[in-house]
Amino acid sequence: MLLEKLQRLPAQYHWVFADGALLNAIIHNTPVGRGKRGRQLTGMVKLACRFALAWPFIWLVSVVEFLILFFRQRRSIRNGKNKIVDYPAYFFVGFGAGNEEKIFQLYSEQHKGRGVGRLDETDIATFADWHTVGLKDGLVSLFSALTVAKQAIDVLPPELIEWRIDFLTHIAKQGGYFAYMHAWFSILEVKQKGRVNEVAFLSAFTPAFAAAVTGISTCYLQHGMIRHSTLLPNFTTVIALTEDESAFMQKRLPQAQLTVRKQVRPAILPALMARSVLIASIYGEVAYLSQILPFLEWLHALPVPVKVRPHPCENGLFWAEHELSGAVSIEKNDPGFYSALERLKPRLVVSWFSTALDDALMSGVIPVSVCSDDDRSVSDMVYPLFQRCLRWPTDRETIRHLLGEDNAYYEKVLLRLRKGLNDL
């Protein structure tokens, strides 16, 4: 209800409140998890508030952040980058996601012949390749952004007042970045009006909020499981991963055109499966990844071969020691998860939370989650993960039976999970 209330606020206010970590903490009534820089900034905002200098301080931080981006774009031009004058009909904005290359290829094929420009929201040089933001335009954009931010804070819902300092911290962190992106997309909208049909985003982060309020047609290409605590930009089009998430986003964005991504999945039959387990790893802290170790020990005692498909962003250290001990074998040569499924044909796919679990289920392979009952990441998910997969160690005996050769039983459990009948 809280997120729905924020989503109904004017679109230009949305970026002010779109601090996922903060919203997650508010919903679950837990402390806000911030890094060292975030904690320092929060402390300075708190001090500035004490002396009634919050907005002058936010202005100072935002101007500095904008100038860093401004001079970084100019440096990229001086280093030999040339502006591109032939604008395409579509732009794709990524951020280095694990499956980004595949999504970009699919998006490019969909718009083949009309051209797709590629941007990376973590690399300002990819924006400067097309055009740069002038100092005057950027500062005007910053003035507008912070004026809107102050208006948004003034209408902060009463139940969020106690987190006012945290929202001010978010504005200080993102103000300069939002201003740059808003200025950049405004230039694109004015100069290429009628030529650029759409800008597609992999993330619902600051650049997407900036583009959505300029009038440009925007598309959200969902790449990972979406959360209840996610505040969404006013996307024109959304291509969701699952029916559950599509229904959720249609409720949040009633004006958006919603579709579910069509995916060609393999159909793996139980009779052809190897007696093995594939772990779809995630990018996370060692303590969190270690939740899987009791399961590994149990599988080793049976024994059952365990394959691991690492997450593209992992450093590999967690799995390296287990590979050396012979507990697992690393599989990273397949071009995609579906390719790994087709080649290995495991009887189970195991992870914490991952789109791989739904991909496995829809491909005919039973998924297993090692997340605890009170896992915040799972409880915040729109996708009903615990209803669509088995649980470790709760379903230990079912898992043992599935690792055998009773294919009729396998198909019975698979059907039950596809209907979302687990953990009800």
Side-chain angles (χ1 to χ4, degrees), residues 43-57 165:
M44 289 186 282
V45 169
K46 190 178 296 185
L47 182 63
C49 285
R50 190 175 301 170
F51 293 98
L53 294 172
W55 287 105
F57 176 74
I165 287 175

Side-chain angles (χ1 to χ4, degrees), residues 310-378:
H311 189 279
C313 296
E314 282 187 275
N315 59 23
L317 296 179
F318 179 81
W319 294 112
E321 60 176 294
H322 299 294
E323 185 179 36
L324 286 174
S325 69
V328 304
S329 62
I330 306 298
E331 305 287 341
K332 55 184 179 182
N333 294 324
D334 298 283
F337 179 70
Y338 290 145
S339 299
L341 272 186
E342 285 191 289
R343 181 175 64 85
L344 298 171
K345 295 181 174 59
R347 286 190 80 82
L348 301 172
V349 167
V350 182
S351 191
W352 293 254
F353 57 88
S354 170
T355 54
L357 294 174
D358 180 68
D359 290 336
L361 181 63
M362 294 299 104
S363 299
V365 181
I366 289 175
V368 179
S369 172
V370 297
C371 287
S372 60
D373 292 344
D374 60 351
D375 191 293
R376 277 177 56 183
S377 295
V378 175

Side-chain angles (χ1 to χ4, degrees), residues 108-304:
S108 298
E109 289 172 8
Q110 181 184 353
H111 301 293
K112 196 172 183 178
R114 288 182 282 182
V116 177
R118 191 164 185 179
L119 302 167
D120 184 338
E121 62 187 43
T122 67
D123 183 3
I124 212 70
T126 63
F127 289 83
D129 283 349
W130 300 92
H131 59 255
T132 55
V133 173
L135 183 59
K136 180 182 177 181
D137 287 342
L139 292 178
V140 168
S141 177
L142 182 59
F143 177 82
S144 174
L146 294 186
T147 299
V148 167
K150 190 174 186 308
Q151 293 169 354
I153 292 297
D154 288 343
V155 297
L156 192 67
E159 58 267 46
L160 293 177
I161 292 296
E162 62 181 292
W163 287 281
R164 182 174 182 273
I165 287 175
D166 294 289
F167 284 113
L168 291 175
T169 300
H170 176 69
I171 295 169
K173 285 175 61 180
Q174 298 297 322
Y177 186 35
F178 177 89
Y180 180 92
M181 287 297 168
H182 185 266
W184 194 92
F185 284 112
S186 294
I187 293 170
L188 181 68
E189 199 274 336
V190 171
K191 287 189 174 181
Q192 301 298 321
K193 194 171 185 64
R195 177 163 182 169
V196 175
N197 295 337
E198 179 180 270
V199 180
F201 292 86
L202 278 190
S203 78
F205 193 48
T206 302
F209 285 97
V213 295
T214 63
I216 292 176
S217 179
T218 54
C219 174
Y220 180 37
L221 301 171
Q222 186 193 347
H223 78 286
M225 291 180 170
I226 197 167
R227 301 174 183 273
H228 288 284
S229 59
T230 300
L231 192 64
L232 295 166
N234 271 19
F235 290 115
T236 312
T237 305
V238 175
I239 301 177
L241 287 179
T242 67
E243 294 288 351
D244 300 277
E245 290 160 316
S246 176
F248 168 80
M249 287 188 276
Q250 185 70 80
K251 187 176 180 181
R252 286 281 184 87
L253 302 174
Q255 304 303 317
Q257 180 182 344
L258 268 291
T259 56
V260 177
R261 183 177 300 158
K262 295 179 181 179
Q263 302 187 66
V264 180
R265 296 183 172 102
I268 302 172
L269 301 176
L272 301 178
M273 291 176 177
R275 187 174 182 267
S276 66
V277 168
L278 174 62
I279 296 174
S281 191
I282 61 172
Y283 179 56
E285 299 291 334
V286 171
Y288 192 72
L289 293 175
S290 296
Q291 291 182 75
I292 203 168
L293 296 183
F295 191 27
L296 281 182
E297 293 173 5
W298 184 76
L299 290 170
H300 183 69
L302 286 179
V304 172

